[in-house]
Amino acid sequence: MNHRVRLSIAIASMLPIGLGVLICCLLVAAGTSPAGVVSALAIAVVVLGIFTYIRLYRATLTARRGRPSADNSNP
């Protein structure tokens, strides 16, 4: 798996949570949501980033060892 594919997977998996953060920030700014939601979303973004990094790192290691991974298998 090359760098471009890994980057596109990382961006695609972070896009929904990024949009959720923007929407919740707008709701907090409008006063319809409590401020604690923003801190919870910050934690969720960090956890999602860690999971994405670990998943992509393991797929890269598996591909380098010569074993097909879920992202690198050919039908």
Side-chain angles (χ1 to χ4, degrees):
M1 182 182 326
N2 63 16
H3 180 69
R4 180 176 287 169
V5 173
R6 287 177 48 188
L7 183 63
S8 64
I9 291 171
I11 290 171
S13 64
M14 293 297 286
L15 188 63
I17 194 86
L19 291 174
V21 168
L22 288 175
I23 290 170
C24 286
C25 286
L26 289 173
L27 290 174
V28 169
T32 59
S33 181
V37 172
V38 176
S39 62
L41 280 174
I43 293 170
V45 168
V46 170
V47 170
L48 181 65
I50 290 170
F51 283 147
T52 302
Y53 176 78
I54 290 170
R55 183 185 62 187
L56 292 176
Y57 183 71
R58 285 186 183 171
T60 303
L61 283 181
T62 305
R64 285 184 185 166
R65 290 184 189 141
R67 287 184 263 156
S69 67
D71 297 330
N72 196 25
S73 61
N74 293 328

